[in-house]
Amino acid sequence: MSQKQQLLKQYFGYDQFRPAQEEIIDQIVQGRDVSAIMPTSAGKSLCYQIPALMLSGITIVVSPLISLMQDQVSALLEMGIPALLINSSLSAEDYRAAIWRLHQGDVKLLYVAPERLLNDYFIQTLQQLPVSLVAVDEAHCISQWGNDFRPAYQSISTFLDYLPNRPVVAAFTATATPRVRKDISLQLGLINVHEIVTGFDRPNLYFAVEEPKDKWLRLLELVDQNEASIIYCSTRKDVDKLFEKLSQKGYSVGAYHAGLPIEERARTQEDFLFDRLNIIVATNAFGMGIDKPNVRQVIHYSMPKDIESYYQEAGRAGRDGETAKCTLFYNGRDIMTNLFFLEKGNDPVGKEKLNEMIDYCRTITCLRHFMLDYFGQEEVPLRCEHCSNCTENISLVDVTIDAQKIISCIIRMNERFGVTRIIEVLRGSKNKEVIQLKLDQLSTYGILSEHSEKTLRNYIGALVADRYLQVTGSEYPVIKITPKGKRAIKQRSPIQIKRTIALTLKQPDPIKRKKRDNDLPYDQVLFERLRGLRLNLASQHGVPPFVIFSDASLRDMCRYLPISDEEFLEISGVGLKKLESYGDNFLSMIRDYKEEQGDVEE
Ligand code: ADP
């Protein structure tokens, strides 16, 4: 067994490296700068944590968020790896103690925020110490071209210049366009850099797009009190409303948006992180700093404004690499509202991005293919068999006749009205204003009276999405016909819209189906007990539960029911230190359980 393999087993409790991890570790240990672009949850941290153990000096990890660093350091300490965090909240005394520990040479990984690197005292201290590696996490923060620019990141290269010997520098990020990638190398001053791009796919995520008849009812079918879920809404009002409704139904749920007091937000976030709260309803303000590995599903209650935001938010599911589900709800109304607001402003880029987002909702090709292709990944398979478009019966439905009726009605109404009024005319409403405006005398009055208001709204939304119609207007939205719509009417060309055939509700949940095929079963009762034990230990130690063991490790325990130390070490995620700290607790609970089941071996 090679040294790195041994460290992987001994400290992290894993048997195998993931793709790219080995290559990155080798390059760093051989003294070469590295720039690695790997998707979330691919296992970037290990790529500098293992070299840190192999190299003789200190590894400095630069990371943007204190809460994340705190979790990482707790996790490392739990594994028996000497790590230290220096941040501005340390008292003078603690700071001196930290520096003393550094001088003692018993710290392998030192976590700091970028601002710290320009502190004179810090620089002087580090000048006297052997620094082997500087690992830059979330390296895209260095670039103004990225979406999380942090000016302090630009001080990293100045800091490197102060050191008597230049350490190896390794940059890591999940998001980087070619432009940002170049900027990272340039601004960090990477030398002869070895670049590794592993692609953006998150194979463990199941992507679904749905146009539910009733979003609320569909949501109730999807949420599971026992699984960590995030529900994203586009407005604070929606967050408050859903939060209220879910609470009334008895769910343990938290709300998060920028309008709530900071302390309340911090508490909600912590409760979620510590598994005290499983469901969060939030705006996109909930995100930065969410590094909870066991989020099992992310639901978007309405359509986000672009694919980048969507992929980032949905990507908060399944960071632990286990199967997770990302569902996006959309309907014609969402599309029209979004388009109207953009129409009022002057943001051509925003409009283009929104159109891509709409296309994603309406495509009948593989969703994963669509997204990866959007991010510029090459050679993406045409089907993934792990998204709703691949696994469900999706097809295009011909709505030519109805669409023609809608378009002709809008023509007769002189393209001067909004959706509500158009629908009133199509359904033959007796509304006073309709009569006053003499709209009841049009030949199209009441020609679609067999459809509900909701159906017509969705049809019109679909026609807007497919650019037969457009939403314009400065004060209130007015529906007009596009040149494409006019052509379709003139040439009587067929018009189709996307529909999921057969009720989605009646189909077996694809996630569960997948799980049954791929994963071995495990004992759910024991799992809940072990989870309880983990929660207790976590509160005793003041760390989030996942720092003690991941869900995957607990499930493995329920599958193999280890009762000896040797067997416990075989569990994925159990290293020597974890065995020492928690072995007795978990093993005795498993033994008791086996006994209870009449399965005693002693
Ligand atoms: P990233 O920083 O790329 O988002 P992390 O470093 O947080 O990802 O790793 C994600 C999860 O995968 C963590 O729970 C980590 O322990 C686990 N992991 C990393 N490498 C391996 C491996 N070789 N085998 C099993 N699990 C791994």
Side-chain angles (χ1 to χ4, degrees):
M1 213 193 264
S2 67
Q3 191 197 359
K4 57 176 186 280
Q5 205 94 39
Q6 215 166 344
L7 294 168
L8 182 70
K9 183 72 188 155
Q10 176 188 342
Y11 286 101
F12 298 84
Y14 297 137
D15 292 324
Q16 275 176 349
F17 283 107
R18 297 229 182 104
Q21 285 181 330
E22 211 161 357
E23 185 183 341
I24 296 173
I25 294 170
D26 288 343
Q27 294 293 332
I28 293 178
V29 174
Q30 284 162 25
R32 179 129 181 228
D33 285 358
V34 167
S35 170
I37 292 106
M38 294 159 80
T40 308
S41 81
K44 287 185 278 297
S45 338
L46 224 143
C47 298
Y48 53 80
Q49 288 164 347
I50 292 216
L53 293 168
M54 297 170 77
L55 297 165
S56 59
I58 296 171
T59 290
I60 299 179
V61 184
V62 184
S63 176
L65 284 162
I66 294 193
S67 59
L68 297 192
M69 286 194 273
Q70 189 66 61
D71 288 345
Q72 285 243 11
V73 169
S74 307
L76 288 167
L77 294 176
E78 287 291 332
M79 289 188 275
I81 298 175
L84 180 71
L85 165 64
I86 290 189
N87 69 25
S88 48
S89 67
L90 290 188
S91 65
E93 197 182 331
D94 286 344
Y95 188 48
R96 270 196 303 277
I99 298 293
W100 186 78
R101 273 191 61 199
L102 285 172
H103 279 294
Q104 291 306 103
D106 69 351
V107 172
K108 292 305 306 180
L109 285 127
L110 170 63
Y111 282 74
V112 292
E115 288 75 13
R116 174 70 42 185
L117 300 176
L118 290 184
N119 174 292
D120 286 342
Y121 181 54
F122 183 79
I123 295 171
Q124 277 165 27
T125 308
L126 270 296
Q127 277 172 336
Q128 298 158 30
L129 293 167
V131 178
S132 301
L133 168 65
V134 171
V136 183
D137 207 4
E138 311 291 350
H140 60 278
C141 290
I142 204 169
S143 173
Q144 305 200 38
W145 302 111
N147 45 0
D148 295 317
F149 178 51
R150 284 272 295 242
Y153 261 69
Q154 298 186 329
S155 56
I156 299 173
S157 70
T158 320
F159 172 75
L160 291 171
D161 289 340
Y162 284 128
L163 297 178
N165 298 305
R166 184 183 180 281
V168 180
V169 182
F172 297 88
T173 178
T175 46
T177 58
R179 187 178 216 173
V180 174
R181 237 182 275 163
K182 235 196 216 144
D183 219 18
I184 290 174
S185 288
L186 194 75
Q187 303 224 31
L188 281 176
L190 298 185
I191 302 165
N192 183 22
V193 57
H194 182 81
E195 194 180 77
I196 298 166
V197 185
T198 63
F200 299 93
D201 192 18
R202 302 275 313 279
N204 60 317
L205 300 186
Y206 178 88
F207 289 101
V209 169
E210 297 188 10
E211 190 184 355
K213 282 218 160 62
D214 185 317
K215 287 184 179 182
W216 166 243
L217 293 180
R218 181 60 183 143
L219 182 76
L220 287 181
E221 289 175 337
L222 288 176
V223 288
D224 180 339
Q225 179 69 73
N226 296 314
E227 294 199 324
S229 312
I230 305 174
I231 303 165
Y232 278 112
C233 298
S234 50
T235 62
R236 295 178 191 182
K237 206 174 103 202
D238 283 352
V239 170
D240 292 337
K241 224 164 55 190
L242 272 191
F243 169 72
E244 194 70 23
K245 284 167 86 172
L246 284 167
S247 310
Q248 270 170 10
K249 283 256 167 210
Y251 286 96
S252 117
V253 55
Y256 192 105
H257 60 63
L260 295 167
I262 288 199
E263 311 81 60
E264 193 178 325
R265 272 187 271 161
R267 196 170 54 236
T268 306
Q269 180 164 335
E270 194 185 283
D271 284 347
F272 187 58
L273 201 66
F274 281 71
D275 287 352
R276 293 189 288 257
L277 202 60
N278 270 336
I279 304 172
I280 294 276
V281 188
T283 59
N284 59 6
F286 187 66
M288 248 329 224
I290 301 308
D291 211 357
K292 187 179 167 67
N294 60 336
V295 175
R296 295 272 69 87
Q297 73 171 332
V298 171
I299 298 172
H300 278 78
Y301 205 69
S302 32
M303 191 179 69
K305 60 184 193 339
D306 56 53
I307 294 183
E308 282 91 340
S309 318
Y310 178 63
Y311 202 60
Q312 195 172 42
E313 286 157 18
R316 304 214 161 96
R319 292 189 54 112
D320 52 10
E322 300 260 304
T323 312
K325 187 173 180 179
C326 311
T327 310
L328 168 56
F329 287 174
Y330 83 103
N331 59 25
R333 184 188 290 244
D334 288 353
I335 294 177
M336 284 188 283
T337 321
N338 271 311
L339 279 173
F340 174 63
F341 282 117
L342 271 178
E343 189 67 40
K344 282 204 328 186
N346 184 20
D347 178 9
V349 177
K351 209 156 147 191
E352 199 175 301
K353 286 186 163 185
L354 178 64
N355 279 328
E356 295 276 2
M357 186 74 243
I358 295 173
D359 287 345
Y360 173 78
C361 294
R362 308 192 40 80
T363 181
I364 61 164
T365 64
C366 167
L367 294 173
R368 180 171 264 105
H369 178 88
F370 187 101
M371 251 178 320
L372 296 178
D373 186 55
Y374 177 81
F375 289 120
Q377 192 161 320
E378 283 160 26
E379 291 173 32
V380 187
L382 282 174
R383 287 176 69 89
C384 71
E385 305 303 341
H386 201 43
C387 72
S388 57
N389 280 7
C390 283
T391 62
E392 285 177 26
N393 204 357
I394 300 283
S395 77
L396 291 173
V397 174
D398 193 298
V399 291
T400 311
I401 304 287
D402 286 347
Q404 285 171 345
K405 289 179 180 169
I406 293 171
I407 297 176
S408 338
C409 184
I410 297 171
I411 294 177
R412 297 212 159 64
M413 291 170 77
N414 290 327
E415 302 180 63
R416 286 196 297 123
F417 296 94
V419 196
T420 313
R421 186 66 21 100
I422 296 169
I423 293 175
E424 282 169 357
V425 175
L426 286 167
R427 299 190 67 224
S429 155
K430 299 265 181 317
N431 180 312
K432 218 169 62 203
E433 289 172 55
V434 171
I435 312 284
Q436 264 169 11
L437 290 163
K438 299 201 167 41
L439 294 173
D440 59 338
Q441 293 172 20
L442 299 177
S443 60
T444 52
Y445 179 75
I447 45 170
L448 283 176
S449 55
E450 73 273 25
H451 287 312
S452 70
E453 201 248 308
K454 217 170 194 167
T455 306
L456 288 179
R457 204 172 271 279
N458 283 339
Y459 275 12
I460 295 177
L463 293 174
V464 171
D466 287 343
R467 332 264 193 283
Y468 291 103
L469 302 177
Q470 71 189 73
V471 191
T472 59
S474 50
E475 267 167 67
Y476 60 93
V478 170
I479 305 280
K480 292 202 174 220
I481 299 155
T482 62
K484 178 179 171 186
K486 290 187 178 136
R487 266 199 313 277
I489 285 287
K490 216 192 261 157
Q491 298 164 359
R492 298 176 190 282
S493 30
I495 298 176
Q496 300 179 314
I497 59 175
K498 175 183 166 185
R499 275 274 173 272
T500 309
I501 304 300
L503 277 177
T504 328
L505 323 182
K506 290 202 179 128
Q507 295 202 341
D509 187 329
I511 293 278
K512 294 203 176 114
R513 194 166 60 214
K514 183 115 184 140
K515 258 189 189 159
R516 263 206 301 278
D517 290 345
N518 289 358
D519 293 359
L520 291 165
Y522 61 92
D523 191 315
Q524 302 272 357
V525 178
L526 179 59
F527 182 70
E528 287 311 319
R529 289 198 198 169
L530 295 180
R531 251 165 63 120
L533 173 61
R534 178 179 66 176
L535 192 61
N536 274 339
L537 291 169
S539 12
Q540 276 169 33
H541 292 237
V543 293
F546 60 79
V547 161
I548 296 193
F549 284 123
S550 67
D551 285 2
S553 297
L554 295 191
R555 266 195 281 275
D556 242 19
M557 291 177 205
C558 298
R559 274 183 204 119
Y560 301 113
L561 305 173
I563 48 168
S564 66
D565 287 1
E566 290 72 31
E567 287 174 3
F568 200 54
L569 275 176
E570 289 299 307
I571 301 295
S572 172
V574 179
L576 283 177
K577 182 72 197 306
K578 295 265 172 97
L579 169 69
E580 194 186 307
S581 316
Y582 304 113
D584 286 348
N585 288 309
F586 283 83
L587 286 172
S588 72
M589 182 170 270
I590 296 169
R591 262 192 233 111
D592 288 351
Y593 184 74
K594 278 182 120 172
E595 231 164 86
E596 222 180 283
Q597 305 287 306
D599 181 14
V600 208
E601 289 173 15
E602 283 149 296

